Amino acid sequence: MNYDSLMIHYGELSTKGENRKMFVRELNKNIRHALKGMNAVTTFDHDHTYVRFEGDPMPIISRLQKVSGIQRISLVYKSDRDIEKLKEDALSLIKLEEGKTFKVNTKRGDKTYPLQSLELSRVLGGQILKNTDLKVDVHNPDITLNVDVRKDAIYLSSHTYMGAGGYPLGMNGKVMMMLSGGIDSPVAAYMMLRRGIKIECIHFAAPPYTSDAVLDKLKDIVKKLNVYQESVKLNIVPFTKLQLAIYQYVAEPYCITIMRRMMYRIAERVARRHNCVGIASGESIGQVASQTLDSMVTINNVTSFPVIRPLAVTDKLDIIKLSQEIETYDISIRPYEDCCTIFKPKKPKTRPKISECEYYESLFDWKTLLDECVENVNAIMIKDGEEVDFENK
Ligand code: ATP
Ligand code: MG
């Protein structure tokens, strides 16, 4: 015998009372999508989702670990409520494990079961002590046999894997993610997705100053994000004309600030048009001149739309680690020219003032140029790692 199922624990969902049914339904839809093409059959009840599998469970587990809304995944064997059968199964399972000490941990989800939790732990523990060389250690055991008493069966497990946590994707609306070709923004996108927030991406391109290689890079990044969201739209904004105007009319130290104010204005317009409830970016406080708190306040002043900065207080080293985990790091470090880096001023203002920005913005007709950017957005859809045709841009 061996483990034959996975038991998925919902985590934070359990606190959601009324909305629970919807959460569970949404999560199960996402689970089925994640396991498409695998030898796995899913069922669910009020508390858990079960996945019956054949063969090696690890590929299934690693896919499930990327589904937001899952807190833990236990490798389980579905045993019987009959005590003799249960004793036999518990013994067989513990013999599969390596170690010298053990403990039995019983959770009685079904309170009508005739044995109390402690009694059941004792009976099973006795069976194991009698038939193996294992010793009991309740504080720091090598093996913990978890016994979950439920109405339909009793589940035995001793391996648990952490899930991504958060909420099922789609439960918390959609945001417009500002995606550059750098390390930070893909990680910020992942943080949003992990929380169950859907994304659409927006990128500001300045051809011919930025090359098509940037576009390939962005597509490769989005393909990695498809692991968490089946299809992701990437909106490319033709930013060159507006950017050149900025460099013509604005004093150099203010160029980056004004450029970013324009980015936020455009992002908000496209976001509203596409039913997004906010904007997200990969900004991190203090990382560069345009990301001091003062700078962020001055930039943010152009929008009343919610702006989420998941990495605001995250350390660069932690960001890099996450980008390696989600496999975007190697793509992000490919050399490229971002519209920010090409026009980089020598001495950007670290404490830009709103009044100064407004003065520079009064010097040219940015509104017409901005309208042009919004009207000429080119949208690409990337689904399951492939660029797909789509209408209705
Ligand atoms: P990243 O590593 O994400 O590029 P960064 O540390 O290089 O970030 P900036 O270049 O100042 O920092 O950009 C800060 C954030 O602004 C980015 O994380 C991204 O969300 C957004 N951003 C910057 N450039 C662009 C762009 N060309 N298109 C879309 N968003 C951008
Ligand atoms: Mg960047």
Side-chain angles (χ1 to χ4, degrees):
M1 76 179 282
N2 210 329
Y3 297 101
D4 59 3
S5 308
L6 299 170
M7 187 193 270
I8 296 174
H9 305 260
Y10 299 154
E12 269 181 82
L13 292 193
S14 49
T15 59
K16 281 291 159 189
E18 282 297 299
N19 287 333
R20 190 183 169 96
K21 263 200 191 130
M22 203 163 77
F23 274 62
V24 172
R25 210 174 41 228
E26 204 65 26
L27 177 59
N28 277 288
K29 203 175 77 193
N30 298 341
I31 288 173
R32 273 196 298 274
H33 171 250
L35 299 184
K36 216 162 49 185
M38 300 194 101
N39 198 348
V41 182
T42 60
T43 50
F44 63 94
D45 62 23
H46 188 261
D47 299 308
H48 298 97
T49 295
Y50 302 93
V51 182
R52 275 191 90 89
F53 62 87
E54 276 171 33
D56 182 6
M58 288 323 288
I60 300 176
I61 292 169
S62 71
R63 284 219 194 156
L64 290 172
Q65 283 177 312
K66 298 187 170 106
V67 177
S68 61
I70 292 179
Q71 200 196 28
R72 282 176 295 127
I73 305 151
S74 307
L75 195 50
V76 298
Y77 181 79
K78 188 174 177 178
S79 181
D80 208 282
R81 285 163 66 98
D82 172 73
I83 190 71
E84 289 311 316
K85 172 79 167 68
L86 184 65
K87 278 161 72 179
E88 205 180 293
D89 289 343
L91 183 61
S92 308
L93 274 188
I94 211 135
K95 283 183 176 164
L96 298 172
E97 307 299 332
E98 281 180 17
K100 293 196 170 71
T101 58
F102 79 101
K103 147 180 162 180
V104 180
N105 199 357
T106 302
K107 205 174 102 212
R108 207 166 59 128
D110 172 20
K111 301 287 180 224
T112 64
Y113 192 71
L115 291 182
Q116 300 272 341
S117 303
L118 272 180
E119 279 177 279
L120 185 53
S121 291
R122 224 172 278 140
V123 170
L124 298 177
Q127 167 84 347
I128 294 164
L129 280 173
K130 206 158 57 185
N131 295 287
T132 65
D133 295 330
L134 293 167
K135 304 259 179 312
V136 172
D137 179 349
V138 289
H139 299 298
N140 194 18
D142 297 331
I143 311 158
T144 302
L145 180 70
N146 293 300
V147 182
D148 198 345
V149 181
R150 312 202 67 82
K151 279 217 155 52
D152 63 321
I154 292 181
Y155 291 87
L156 298 170
S157 75
S158 41
H159 294 274
T160 295
Y161 304 84
M162 292 312 288
Y167 294 88
L169 192 66
M171 291 308 303
N172 289 317
K174 182 170 74 170
V175 300
M176 187 59 77
M177 179 74 225
M178 292 170 64
L179 196 68
S180 65
I183 295 171
D184 302 333
S185 41
V187 173
Y190 164 68
M191 307 275 279
M192 302 301 290
L193 293 167
R194 199 172 66 168
R195 202 65 199 154
I197 300 163
K198 272 197 168 170
I199 58 164
E200 208 171 280
C201 298
I202 189 164
H203 177 76
F204 300 87
Y209 304 96
T210 58
S211 70
D212 278 354
V214 180
L215 203 59
D216 289 336
K217 198 172 167 181
L218 290 167
K219 286 181 192 168
D220 287 348
I221 286 171
V222 172
K223 285 174 189 170
K224 293 290 179 191
L225 299 176
N226 276 157
V227 171
Y228 312 94
Q229 181 178 314
E230 187 181 6
S231 33
V232 177
K233 195 191 284 179
L234 173 59
N235 300 285
I236 309 289
V237 181
F239 201 46
T240 318
K241 263 168 89 179
L242 179 54
Q243 200 161 22
L244 290 175
I246 294 170
Y247 282 84
Q248 185 181 343
Y249 292 100
V250 178
E252 199 178 289
Y254 266 81
C255 281
I256 287 272
T257 314
I258 304 278
M259 187 190 78
R260 299 190 69 79
R261 282 162 65 94
M262 297 300 169
M263 283 185 177
Y264 273 101
R265 287 180 172 119
I266 296 169
E268 174 177 346
R269 292 261 297 269
V270 181
R272 285 189 192 275
R273 192 178 272 191
H274 296 190
N275 301 319
C276 295
V277 295
I279 300 169
S281 86
E283 286 161 316
S284 186
I285 298 169
Q287 226 186 60
V288 288
S290 63
Q291 297 180 26
T292 62
L293 262 184
D294 286 300
S295 251
M296 282 188 193
V297 170
T298 301
I299 292 164
N300 216 137
N301 187 253
V302 300
T303 175
S304 57
F305 215 45
V307 177
I308 305 169
R309 297 178 174 87
L311 304 179
V313 293
T314 311
D315 228 65
K316 189 73 186 187
L317 287 178
D318 292 332
I319 297 174
I320 290 177
K321 214 166 116 207
L322 272 170
S323 76
Q324 285 162 338
E325 274 170 38
I326 62 168
E327 298 177 7
T328 53
Y329 181 77
D330 289 339
I331 306 170
S332 293
I333 58 170
R334 283 186 214 154
Y336 81 115
E337 328 82 20
D338 185 25
C339 60
C340 297
T341 41
I342 287 172
F343 298 96
K344 203 173 184 160
K346 284 180 217 68
K347 269 198 159 176
K349 200 93 182 146
T350 49
R351 307 185 78 174
K353 294 198 178 58
I354 294 173
S355 56
E356 292 274 308
C357 291
E358 286 169 350
Y359 163 72
Y360 289 120
E361 286 171 0
S362 73
L363 299 179
F364 68 111
D365 180 18
W366 56 266
K367 285 191 180 135
T368 308
L369 294 169
L370 198 137
D371 285 346
E372 242 180 77
C373 287
V374 174
E375 290 317 314
N376 293 307
V377 166
N378 179 30
I380 299 167
M381 185 70 90
I382 298 179
K383 184 176 182 212
D384 281 334
E386 306 267 347
E387 189 175 338
V388 293
D389 285 339
F390 95 112
E391 319 240 318
N392 186 23
K393 293 186 176 181

